[in-house]
PDB file of all heavy atoms in Angstrom:
ATOM      1  N   LEU N 276      90.686 108.216  93.459  1.00  0.00           N
ATOM      2  CA  LEU N 276      90.957 108.644  94.824  1.00  0.00           C
ATOM      3  C   LEU N 276      89.670 108.668  95.640  1.00  0.00           C
ATOM      4  O   LEU N 276      89.648 108.218  96.788  1.00  0.00           O
ATOM      5  CB  LEU N 276      91.637 110.016  94.843  1.00  0.00           C
ATOM      6  CG  LEU N 276      93.100 110.045  94.440  1.00  0.00           C
ATOM      7  CD1 LEU N 276      93.561 111.463  94.154  1.00  0.00           C
ATOM      8  CD2 LEU N 276      93.954 109.397  95.506  1.00  0.00           C
ATOM      9  N   SER N 277      88.594 109.204  95.071  1.00  0.00           N
ATOM     10  CA  SER N 277      87.318 109.247  95.763  1.00  0.00           C
ATOM     11  C   SER N 277      86.778 107.867  96.051  1.00  0.00           C
ATOM     12  O   SER N 277      86.239 107.612  97.135  1.00  0.00           O
ATOM     13  CB  SER N 277      86.294 110.038  94.926  1.00  0.00           C
ATOM     14  OG  SER N 277      86.666 111.376  94.828  1.00  0.00           O
ATOM     15  N   ALA N 278      86.911 106.954  95.112  1.00  0.00           N
ATOM     16  CA  ALA N 278      86.443 105.596  95.313  1.00  0.00           C
ATOM     17  C   ALA N 278      87.228 104.913  96.428  1.00  0.00           C
ATOM     18  O   ALA N 278      86.665 104.175  97.232  1.00  0.00           O
ATOM     19  CB  ALA N 278      86.582 104.784  94.004  1.00  0.00           C
ATOM     20  N   GLY N 279      88.514 105.194  96.509  1.00  0.00           N
ATOM     21  CA  GLY N 279      89.340 104.640  97.566  1.00  0.00           C
ATOM     22  C   GLY N 279      88.943 105.126  98.916  1.00  0.00           C
ATOM     23  O   GLY N 279      88.929 104.391  99.885  1.00  0.00           O
ATOM     24  N   LEU N 280      88.600 106.406  99.002  1.00  0.00           N
ATOM     25  CA  LEU N 280      88.164 107.000 100.274  1.00  0.00           C
ATOM     26  C   LEU N 280      86.827 106.423 100.680  1.00  0.00           C
ATOM     27  O   LEU N 280      86.582 106.170 101.858  1.00  0.00           O
ATOM     28  CB  LEU N 280      88.100 108.504 100.169  1.00  0.00           C
ATOM     29  CG  LEU N 280      89.424 109.246 100.052  1.00  0.00           C
ATOM     30  CD1 LEU N 280      89.161 110.738  99.825  1.00  0.00           C
ATOM     31  CD2 LEU N 280      90.270 109.020 101.263  1.00  0.00           C
ATOM     32  N   ALA N 281      85.943 106.205  99.724  1.00  0.00           N
ATOM     33  CA  ALA N 281      84.620 105.668 100.037  1.00  0.00           C
ATOM     34  C   ALA N 281      84.718 104.209 100.474  1.00  0.00           C
ATOM     35  O   ALA N 281      83.903 103.749 101.269  1.00  0.00           O
ATOM     36  CB  ALA N 281      83.715 105.782  98.819  1.00  0.00           C
ATOM     37  N   ALA N 282      85.724 103.494  99.988  1.00  0.00           N
ATOM     38  CA  ALA N 282      85.883 102.100 100.333  1.00  0.00           C
ATOM     39  C   ALA N 282      86.493 101.881 101.714  1.00  0.00           C
ATOM     40  O   ALA N 282      86.358 100.814 102.304  1.00  0.00           O
ATOM     41  CB  ALA N 282      86.738 101.397  99.279  1.00  0.00           C
ATOM     42  N   GLU N 283      87.190 102.925 102.226  1.00  0.00           N
ATOM     43  CA  GLU N 283      87.780 102.784 103.562  1.00  0.00           C
ATOM     44  C   GLU N 283      86.702 102.798 104.622  1.00  0.00           C
ATOM     45  O   GLU N 283      85.809 103.650 104.576  1.00  0.00           O
ATOM     46  CB  GLU N 283      88.777 103.926 103.798  1.00  0.00           C
ATOM     47  CG  GLU N 283      90.025 103.847 102.963  1.00  0.00           C
ATOM     48  CD  GLU N 283      90.981 104.988 103.234  1.00  0.00           C
ATOM     49  OE1 GLU N 283      90.784 105.700 104.238  1.00  0.00           O
ATOM     50  OE2 GLU N 283      91.892 105.180 102.428  1.00  0.00           O
ATOM     51  N   PRO N 284      86.778 101.917 105.554  1.00  0.00           N
ATOM     52  CA  PRO N 284      85.770 101.924 106.626  1.00  0.00           C
ATOM     53  C   PRO N 284      85.911 103.168 107.508  1.00  0.00           C
ATOM     54  O   PRO N 284      87.011 103.612 107.800  1.00  0.00           O
ATOM     55  CB  PRO N 284      86.067 100.632 107.406  1.00  0.00           C
ATOM     56  CG  PRO N 284      87.489 100.303 107.109  1.00  0.00           C
ATOM     57  CD  PRO N 284      87.772 100.853 105.729  1.00  0.00           C
ATOM     58  N   SER N 285      84.790 103.712 107.864  1.00  0.00           N
ATOM     59  CA  SER N 285      84.783 104.856 108.766  1.00  0.00           C
ATOM     60  C   SER N 285      84.923 104.374 110.182  1.00  0.00           C
ATOM     61  O   SER N 285      84.360 103.345 110.564  1.00  0.00           O
ATOM     62  CB  SER N 285      83.467 105.629 108.638  1.00  0.00           C
ATOM     63  OG  SER N 285      83.332 106.102 107.312  1.00  0.00           O
ATOM     64  N   PRO N 286      85.699 105.123 111.001  1.00  0.00           N
ATOM     65  CA  PRO N 286      85.825 104.698 112.396  1.00  0.00           C
ATOM     66  C   PRO N 286      84.482 104.853 113.116  1.00  0.00           C
ATOM     67  O   PRO N 286      83.705 105.750 112.832  1.00  0.00           O
ATOM     68  CB  PRO N 286      86.865 105.662 112.958  1.00  0.00           C
ATOM     69  CG  PRO N 286      86.850 106.822 112.054  1.00  0.00           C
ATOM     70  CD  PRO N 286      86.419 106.332 110.687  1.00  0.00           C
ATOM     71  N   ILE N 287      84.225 103.939 114.016  1.00  0.00           N
ATOM     72  CA  ILE N 287      83.019 104.019 114.822  1.00  0.00           C
ATOM     73  C   ILE N 287      83.353 104.770 116.091  1.00  0.00           C
ATOM     74  O   ILE N 287      84.232 104.388 116.844  1.00  0.00           O
ATOM     75  CB  ILE N 287      82.473 102.599 115.159  1.00  0.00           C
ATOM     76  CG1 ILE N 287      82.131 101.846 113.859  1.00  0.00           C
ATOM     77  CG2 ILE N 287      81.283 102.679 116.073  1.00  0.00           C
ATOM     78  CD1 ILE N 287      81.746 100.432 114.047  1.00  0.00           C
ATOM     79  N   LEU N 288      82.682 105.901 116.246  1.00  0.00           N
ATOM     80  CA  LEU N 288      82.929 106.731 117.407  1.00  0.00           C
ATOM     81  C   LEU N 288      81.977 106.358 118.523  1.00  0.00           C
ATOM     82  O   LEU N 288      80.803 106.097 118.297  1.00  0.00           O
ATOM     83  CB  LEU N 288      82.741 108.214 117.019  1.00  0.00           C
ATOM     84  CG  LEU N 288      83.654 108.704 115.874  1.00  0.00           C
ATOM     85  CD1 LEU N 288      83.287 110.115 115.488  1.00  0.00           C
ATOM     86  CD2 LEU N 288      85.114 108.602 116.280  1.00  0.00           C
TER      87      LEU N 288
END
Side-chain angles (χ1 to χ4, degrees):
L276 285 167
S277 294
L280 290 175
E283 290 180 13
S285 299
I287 299 174
L288 301 175

